[in-house]
Amino acid sequence: MFARGLKRKCFDHEEEGDGPLAGFRAVPSYDLQRQSLLDMSLVKLQLCHMLVEPNLCRSVLIANTVRQIQEEMTQDGTWRMAAPQGGGPAPLDRLVSTDVLCRSAREQEQGQPGPEDGSFPKGFEDGPAAGLTCDVPSVTVAQAPRHLPSSSSWDLDSSRESRGSFQKSLDQIFETLESKNPSSVEDLFSDVDSSYYDLDTVLTGMMGSSRASPCDTLEGFTPLTAAPPGPGCKADLGELDHVVEILVET
Amino acid sequence: MYTSYLKNKIQSHSRGEYNVYSTFQSHEPEFDYLKSLEIEEKINKIRWLPQKNAAQFLLSTNDKTIKLWKISERDKRPEGYNLKEEDGRYRDPTTVTTLRVPVFRPMDLMVEASPRRIFANAHTYHINSISINSDYETYLSADDLRINLWHLEITDRSFNIVDIKPANMEELTEVITAAEFHPNSCNTFVYSSSKGTIRLCDMRASALCDRHSKLFEEPEDPSNRSFFSEIISSISDVKFSHSGRYMMTRDYLSVKIWDLNMENRPVETYQVHEYLRSKLCSLYENDCIFDKFECCWNGSDSVVMTGSYNNFFRMFDRNTKRDITLEASRENNKPRTVLKPRKVCASGKRKKDEISVDSLDFNKKILHTAWHPKENIIAVATTNNLYIFQDKVN
């Protein structure tokens, strides 16, 4: 009924048989179970994001589950972060959006250099069918690159049915740009030709680059509040505006 | 469901089987060129309109487009035209020597379904609900983040009445899962969320009903808390009672009845398949935990019904507090026999005729059930079959 031997790793109560192994089979520790659930959830999110139009309700529920686990792990102190200053429980706004976690997983899959340790669970690279092993270091998900303000896979609302809504998309781009480093602006449109990213996501400025820019990993968990735009940003905003105009054929 | 089936009784009940009354293709697959994706023709919801004349009307919707269909019967046809032959050819006027009045003669029943309105391009996200207002002129359609109000006669415009899309999509943590108009109050509707809340809104309060009039939410039971708590609290269906005094919600494990006058907790809670609580992780893994079950009231609001797995469906009598589990399956039930109650053995020794949780078939799920508004006849949909059951009492 249930898939492939992952029962043992779940939180489900098992009917311990009376067989000879009953006494020897240890219930997986809570930490292990939790990690396994986290891994499973991230795989599910990845799969969601691979669909062009994911089931939004499902994605949101899974993402919330991941966040819950993150929060608990952070409170436990088992959430190992790359932040330079350690110590103390991290405030909630330092938790990375789950979408970023999945993005980083995907970038890994595409063979990007990615975060420095490159320590992402092998399970993700093998694809969802591979068994998720629990002996993977839990530092994996902590290496999230820069904070991406909006979620491409959830944001289906870049309908170009009306100029009004398109204006909104432009606003989103600008909003995005204000919080990014100038160097990443060029990266925004570097994937225009990539068949993986449809025009949609490019215009809404999300996918960003598949090349992690050098400052990414250092930024670690960027706070949700946007940094004030520097002078370099403004020039790039104008350029972006021009590019977008071309793309929408105004 | 790819097409809309309407079934009706055949004359002879000998085989206990129903004949298809009419079949029509409601939606076709479409291609959204801007997003490069296909919009499935799969129907998400069907709602009948109250009958005003001989024809029946229904609304059916896929992920993006709602259609109004007219279903009409033709069992008579006019015969005896003066200028036309029976086969339709025109007669030579010079051969007409007498005049007669055409008469209607019976013919084989013909059921015609014709699309009357197409309501498109108003939803960015997937439509999960449609609900007809008690004014019989307007209806609402709800997707994951927005609810729109339509007039049945007007297809090129709809009004957005609820919008929960956050400015920053990354802040999205809750979606709309179902919505319904109040059966009597044409300004009132409710919508449920993935966090287990129900919001009642009054359209007279403002054009955009982002602020609810009432918020129904049951505090979480701390002893049952797990990582799956939120997922199983997500409401998959909300239905008002016929009286309009109560509403029923379905979440993954239970059915709750709410009194509209009491927001802080439901007045009744019925466990549909509590034995699954210890299996939530496995059900999360195989995605069954995301299954969206519907629920329904009987005509007198005394019994509620919902589906479960293994082709089981459950009924709860609100008065006697008794419940029953029945199975919709051809193998286990001969036609025209009384359905035998089923029991799932949660743990311990399995009695004869009981089914253990581990042998339940999670691919056989009953998501859709319906109860005739006046009679004790129910329709239960399994994966590939529609079952119609009626009360034995004659």
Side-chain angles (χ1 to χ4, degrees):
Chain A
M1 164 183 72
F2 299 132
R4 312 162 193 110
L6 278 173
K7 252 185 182 175
R8 298 286 170 270
K9 300 187 172 45
C10 286
F11 295 87
D12 295 344
H13 303 159
E14 294 299 331
E15 302 260 327
E16 298 290 337
D18 291 333
L21 291 178
F24 295 96
R25 188 170 49 207
V27 176
S29 75
Y30 179 78
D31 278 357
L32 220 51
Q33 287 184 350
R34 184 173 61 184
Q35 182 63 45
S36 163
L37 184 62
L38 179 63
D39 294 341
M40 196 198 306
S41 305
L42 291 172
V43 168
K44 283 184 185 296
L45 273 180
Q46 257 193 301
L47 291 176
C48 279
H49 288 185
M50 278 162 144
L51 296 175
V52 192
E53 261 204 315
N55 180 331
L56 194 61
C57 182
R58 196 184 120 94
S59 305
V60 167
L61 288 173
I62 299 173
N64 289 352
T65 307
V66 171
R67 259 192 219 107
Q68 266 185 67
I69 299 176
Q70 280 180 13
E71 280 171 26
E72 196 182 277
M73 286 171 89
T74 305
Q75 280 161 18
D76 280 354
T78 54
W79 182 264
R80 287 168 245 166
M81 290 161 42
Q85 291 90 0
L92 288 181
D93 64 0
R94 299 198 68 200
L95 289 172
V96 181
S97 125
T98 53
D99 182 68
V100 177
L101 295 173
C102 302
R103 188 82 24 85
S104 62
R106 188 164 45 229
E107 285 160 8
Q108 279 293 85
E109 263 197 359
Q110 292 166 3
Q112 303 309 322
E116 277 149 352
D117 328 15
S119 52
F120 219 91
K122 297 236 178 347
F124 287 110
E125 284 156 17
D126 292 341
L132 295 166
T133 54
C134 281
D135 51 356
V136 161
S138 62
V139 71
T140 59
V141 295
Q143 301 300 333
R146 87 198 108 121
H147 178 86
L148 294 171
S150 27
S151 158
S152 72
S153 303
W154 288 353
D155 195 350
L156 306 171
D157 193 21
S158 49
S159 58
R160 268 150 334 274
E161 287 146 15
S162 68
R163 285 286 295 154
S165 65
F166 193 72
Q167 182 58 40
K168 197 167 166 227
S169 299
L170 290 181
D171 290 342
Q172 281 174 332
I173 297 176
F174 297 139
E175 192 184 13
T176 303
L177 289 173
E178 281 175 51
S179 57
K180 275 203 168 106
N181 284 316
S183 62
S184 59
V185 171
E186 291 88 321
D187 291 336
L188 263 173
F189 289 95
S190 61
D191 288 303
V192 171
D193 291 310
S194 165
S195 58
Y196 179 80
Y197 306 122
D198 62 3
L199 188 60
D200 202 12
T201 53
V202 169
L203 288 172
T204 45
M206 13 267 159
M207 287 314 291
S209 95
S210 48
R211 299 181 291 272
S213 41
C215 46
D216 288 344
T217 45
L218 290 179
E219 280 179 51
F221 297 85
T222 51
L224 286 173
T225 52
C233 257
K234 290 210 167 71
D236 294 316
L237 286 177
E239 184 187 306
L240 176 64
D241 199 5
H242 178 61
V243 173
V244 165
E245 272 180 27
I246 294 170
L247 286 167
V248 301
E249 298 167 350
T250 46
Chain B
M1 306 178 267
Y2 287 88
T3 57
S4 212
Y5 288 92
L6 299 166
K7 296 202 172 189
N8 202 1
K9 291 186 197 183
I10 55 173
Q11 297 304 86
S12 125
H13 291 244
S14 59
R15 292 184 58 218
E17 283 199 7
Y18 284 73
N19 258 356
V20 173
Y21 172 75
S22 169
T23 305
F24 61 94
Q25 186 82 20
S26 173
H27 287 66
E28 298 280 349
E30 286 174 38
F31 197 75
D32 181 338
Y33 291 95
L34 285 178
K35 292 183 185 174
S36 279
L37 46 89
E38 177 161 300
I39 300 168
E40 286 189 317
E41 70 275 30
K42 179 171 71 76
I43 306 292
N44 296 335
K45 282 282 149 62
I46 298 172
R47 287 285 179 268
W48 290 97
L49 266 69
Q51 190 169 14
K52 280 199 253 189
N53 51 39
Q56 297 276 17
F57 286 85
L58 63 81
L59 282 178
S60 73
T61 184
N62 67 354
D63 283 339
K64 302 281 180 167
T65 304
I66 306 130
K67 292 191 185 182
L68 177 71
W69 286 89
K70 175 180 175 184
I71 294 119
S72 45
E73 287 183 351
R74 199 196 294 246
D75 62 355
K76 295 184 263 297
R77 66 157 181 258
E79 286 179 18
Y81 282 112
N82 291 294
L83 296 176
K84 273 198 284 192
E85 303 286 1
E86 293 310 324
D87 59 9
R89 280 178 307 147
Y90 279 97
R91 291 169 71 186
D92 178 356
T94 57
T95 64
V96 178
T97 52
T98 61
L99 288 180
R100 57 187 173 169
V101 177
V103 291
F104 276 98
R105 298 224 185 277
M107 61 179 248
D108 287 341
L109 179 65
M110 198 165 75
V111 180
E112 296 171 320
S114 55
R116 275 288 188 259
R117 305 267 187 279
I118 297 178
F119 305 91
N121 301 322
H123 285 280
T124 307
Y125 302 96
H126 294 175
I127 298 174
N128 53 53
S129 310
I130 44 178
S131 174
I132 297 160
N133 203 351
S134 51
D135 64 8
Y136 303 154
E137 285 184 346
T138 56
Y139 74 94
L140 63 76
S141 57
D143 66 30
D144 294 314
L145 298 179
R146 298 192 176 101
I147 301 180
N148 293 328
L149 181 72
W150 301 83
H151 192 284
L152 284 164
E153 301 291 323
I154 300 170
T155 58
D156 60 358
R157 193 189 332 172
S158 73
F159 294 94
N160 177 242
I161 52 178
V162 173
D163 187 339
I164 65 168
K165 180 172 191 264
N168 182 354
M169 275 295 271
E170 266 203 350
E171 289 162 11
L172 181 66
T173 56
E174 192 173 8
V175 299
I176 296 170
T177 51
E180 193 176 67
F181 264 118
H182 190 275
N184 306 321
S185 239
C186 60
N187 48 273
T188 305
F189 66 94
V190 293
Y191 67 93
S192 60
S193 83
S194 54
K195 286 199 173 170
T197 64
I198 309 103
R199 286 172 174 81
L200 184 140
C201 300
D202 187 330
M203 294 197 292
R204 296 169 300 190
S206 69
L208 188 62
C209 301
D210 272 356
R211 297 180 57 189
H212 51 263
S213 301
K214 295 193 187 196
L215 174 68
F216 297 83
E217 189 174 12
E218 183 173 26
E220 203 185 345
D221 176 3
S223 64
N224 267 335
R225 175 129 188 79
S226 76
F227 284 122
F228 307 108
S229 293
E230 186 181 309
I231 299 179
I232 63 169
S233 75
S234 174
I235 291 172
S236 52
D237 194 14
V238 63
K239 292 266 175 37
F240 279 105
S241 64
H242 293 89
S243 64
R245 163 111 190 256
Y246 298 98
M247 68 178 172
M248 162 167 56
T249 57
R250 174 69 154 101
D251 50 71
Y252 191 62
L253 296 179
S254 66
V255 158
K256 295 180 180 173
I257 313 275
W258 302 79
D259 183 325
L260 292 190
N261 298 317
M262 188 160 75
E263 297 169 60
N264 58 357
R265 61 178 171 81
V267 289
E268 295 154 41
T269 301
Y270 301 103
Q271 300 302 334
V272 181
H273 36 218
E274 180 71 10
Y275 47 78
L276 295 183
R277 191 181 289 274
S278 57
K279 307 282 181 194
L280 291 179
C281 187
S282 309
L283 293 164
Y284 178 72
E285 191 200 338
N286 65 15
D287 280 348
C288 280
I289 207 175
F290 300 108
D291 285 337
K292 291 186 191 288
F293 292 94
E294 291 177 2
C295 54
C296 60
W297 299 82
N298 73 340
S300 59
D301 297 336
S302 58
V303 182
V304 297
M305 171 169 69
T306 188
S308 177
Y309 294 104
N310 209 68
N311 281 344
F312 287 169
F313 58 100
R314 303 261 285 138
M315 286 189 192
F316 302 94
D317 188 320
R318 298 177 63 211
N319 299 325
T320 64
K321 300 300 180 201
R322 289 202 338 235
D323 61 85
I324 189 169
T325 304
L326 299 169
E327 183 178 1
S329 133
R330 253 202 257 255
E331 293 82 36
N332 296 333
N333 298 301
K334 291 199 180 32
R336 305 186 62 68
T337 57
V338 175
L339 292 175
K340 201 172 74 164
R342 301 284 176 206
K343 191 140 167 41
V344 175
C345 163
S347 59
K349 285 245 179 289
R350 187 176 74 85
K351 299 194 187 66
K352 180 176 175 309
D353 281 353
E354 280 187 357
I355 299 169
S356 74
V357 181
D358 291 321
S359 50
L360 293 175
D361 188 341
F362 287 81
N363 292 317
K364 292 185 177 166
K365 48 193 92 171
I366 291 180
L367 303 176
H368 308 286
T369 57
W371 206 308
H372 192 288
K374 293 195 180 61
E375 303 187 33
N376 261 350
I377 303 175
I378 58 174
V380 171
T382 60
T383 311
N384 291 317
N385 292 299
L386 179 69
Y387 291 81
I388 297 181
F389 299 108
Q390 58 195 69
D391 217 357
K392 186 174 160 269
V393 176
N394 289 325

